[in-house]
PDB file of all heavy atoms in Angstrom:
ATOM      1  N   ASP L   8       3.259  21.369   0.998  1.00 96.00           N
ATOM      2  CA  ASP L   8       2.684  22.705   0.715  1.00 96.00           C
ATOM      3  C   ASP L   8       3.711  23.635   0.063  1.00 96.00           C
ATOM      4  O   ASP L   8       3.613  24.830   0.127  1.00 96.00           O
ATOM      5  CB  ASP L   8       2.184  23.324   2.016  1.00 96.00           C
ATOM      6  CG  ASP L   8       3.266  23.476   3.076  1.00 96.00           C
ATOM      7  OD1 ASP L   8       4.422  23.063   2.812  1.00 96.00           O
ATOM      8  OD2 ASP L   8       2.974  24.018   4.147  1.00 96.00           O
ATOM      9  N   ARG L   9       4.719  23.038  -0.526  1.00 96.00           N
ATOM     10  CA  ARG L   9       5.765  23.771  -1.233  1.00 96.00           C
ATOM     11  C   ARG L   9       5.975  23.112  -2.582  1.00 96.00           C
ATOM     12  O   ARG L   9       5.441  22.011  -2.797  1.00 96.00           O
ATOM     13  CB  ARG L   9       7.064  23.795  -0.398  1.00 96.00           C
ATOM     14  CG  ARG L   9       7.504  22.454   0.134  1.00 96.00           C
ATOM     15  CD  ARG L   9       8.467  22.632   1.326  1.00 96.00           C
ATOM     16  NE  ARG L   9       8.983  21.389   1.833  1.00 96.00           N
ATOM     17  CZ  ARG L   9       8.467  20.696   2.830  1.00 96.00           C
ATOM     18  NH1 ARG L   9       7.375  21.109   3.423  1.00 96.00           N
ATOM     19  NH2 ARG L   9       9.020  19.589   3.240  1.00 96.00           N
ATOM     20  N   PRO L  10       6.730  23.717  -3.481  1.00 97.00           N
ATOM     21  CA  PRO L  10       6.860  23.130  -4.820  1.00 97.00           C
ATOM     22  C   PRO L  10       7.494  21.743  -4.833  1.00 97.00           C
ATOM     23  O   PRO L  10       7.144  20.913  -5.668  1.00 97.00           O
ATOM     24  CB  PRO L  10       7.754  24.118  -5.567  1.00 97.00           C
ATOM     25  CG  PRO L  10       7.641  25.399  -4.819  1.00 97.00           C
ATOM     26  CD  PRO L  10       7.380  25.025  -3.392  1.00 97.00           C
ATOM     27  N   THR L  13      13.032  17.441  -0.859  1.00 97.00           N
ATOM     28  CA  THR L  13      14.156  16.590  -1.266  1.00 97.00           C
ATOM     29  C   THR L  13      13.990  15.189  -0.679  1.00 97.00           C
ATOM     30  O   THR L  13      13.278  14.973   0.307  1.00 97.00           O
ATOM     31  CB  THR L  13      15.510  17.165  -0.813  1.00 97.00           C
ATOM     32  OG1 THR L  13      15.589  17.111   0.620  1.00 97.00           O
ATOM     33  CG2 THR L  13      15.727  18.573  -1.350  1.00 97.00           C
ATOM     34  N   THR L  26      18.146  11.953  11.382  1.00 91.00           N
ATOM     35  CA  THR L  26      18.572  13.309  11.051  1.00 91.00           C
ATOM     36  C   THR L  26      18.860  13.380   9.547  1.00 91.00           C
ATOM     37  O   THR L  26      19.079  12.365   8.900  1.00 91.00           O
ATOM     38  CB  THR L  26      19.872  13.711  11.780  1.00 91.00           C
ATOM     39  OG1 THR L  26      20.942  12.870  11.307  1.00 91.00           O
ATOM     40  CG2 THR L  26      19.742  13.575  13.284  1.00 91.00           C
ATOM     41  N   ALA L  30      21.058  10.698   5.866  1.00 95.00           N
ATOM     42  CA  ALA L  30      20.562  10.332   4.527  1.00 95.00           C
ATOM     43  C   ALA L  30      21.664   9.728   3.656  1.00 95.00           C
ATOM     44  O   ALA L  30      21.428   8.739   2.946  1.00 95.00           O
ATOM     45  CB  ALA L  30      19.935  11.537   3.856  1.00 95.00           C
ATOM     46  N   GLU L  36      23.192   2.249   1.784  1.00 96.00           N
ATOM     47  CA  GLU L  36      22.871   0.915   2.306  1.00 96.00           C
ATOM     48  C   GLU L  36      21.507   0.369   1.854  1.00 96.00           C
ATOM     49  O   GLU L  36      21.254  -0.805   1.991  1.00 96.00           O
ATOM     50  CB  GLU L  36      22.889   0.946   3.832  1.00 96.00           C
ATOM     51  CG  GLU L  36      24.220   1.369   4.420  1.00 96.00           C
ATOM     52  CD  GLU L  36      25.326   0.331   4.167  1.00 96.00           C
ATOM     53  OE1 GLU L  36      25.017  -0.866   4.197  1.00 96.00           O
ATOM     54  OE2 GLU L  36      26.479   0.744   3.902  1.00 96.00           O
ATOM     55  N   ASP L  57       5.170  12.312  -7.944  1.00 98.00           N
ATOM     56  CA  ASP L  57       6.275  11.340  -7.858  1.00 98.00           C
ATOM     57  C   ASP L  57       5.898  10.201  -6.894  1.00 98.00           C
ATOM     58  O   ASP L  57       5.174  10.412  -5.917  1.00 98.00           O
ATOM     59  CB  ASP L  57       7.555  11.998  -7.354  1.00 98.00           C
ATOM     60  CG  ASP L  57       8.258  12.841  -8.424  1.00 98.00           C
ATOM     61  OD1 ASP L  57       7.937  12.653  -9.617  1.00 98.00           O
ATOM     62  OD2 ASP L  57       9.093  13.662  -8.032  1.00 98.00           O
ATOM     63  N   ASP L  60       9.670   4.478  -3.595  1.00 98.00           N
ATOM     64  CA  ASP L  60       9.657   3.159  -2.958  1.00 98.00           C
ATOM     65  C   ASP L  60      10.980   2.981  -2.215  1.00 98.00           C
ATOM     66  O   ASP L  60      12.025   2.818  -2.839  1.00 98.00           O
ATOM     67  CB  ASP L  60       9.473   2.058  -4.002  1.00 98.00           C
ATOM     68  CG  ASP L  60       9.410   0.662  -3.409  1.00 98.00           C
ATOM     69  OD1 ASP L  60       9.368   0.528  -2.163  1.00 98.00           O
ATOM     70  OD2 ASP L  60       9.418  -0.294  -4.191  1.00 98.00           O
ATOM     71  N   GLY L  63      11.423  -2.348   0.761  1.00 96.00           N
ATOM     72  CA  GLY L  63      11.296  -3.121   2.002  1.00 96.00           C
ATOM     73  C   GLY L  63      10.910  -2.308   3.210  1.00 96.00           C
ATOM     74  O   GLY L  63      10.736  -2.864   4.290  1.00 96.00           O
ATOM     75  N   ASP L  72      -0.593  19.725  -1.273  1.00 91.00           N
ATOM     76  CA  ASP L  72      -1.528  19.994  -0.172  1.00 91.00           C
ATOM     77  C   ASP L  72      -2.571  21.016  -0.581  1.00 91.00           C
ATOM     78  O   ASP L  72      -2.289  21.968  -1.231  1.00 91.00           O
ATOM     79  CB  ASP L  72      -0.750  20.489   1.033  1.00 91.00           C
ATOM     80  CG  ASP L  72      -1.626  20.587   2.290  1.00 91.00           C
ATOM     81  OD1 ASP L  72      -2.707  19.964   2.294  1.00 91.00           O
ATOM     82  OD2 ASP L  72      -1.224  21.279   3.211  1.00 91.00           O
TER      83      ASP L  72
END
Side-chain angles (χ1 to χ4, degrees):
D8 59 358
R9 48 200 184 267
T13 67
T26 66
E36 301 293 323
D57 284 343
D60 181 8
D72 188 19

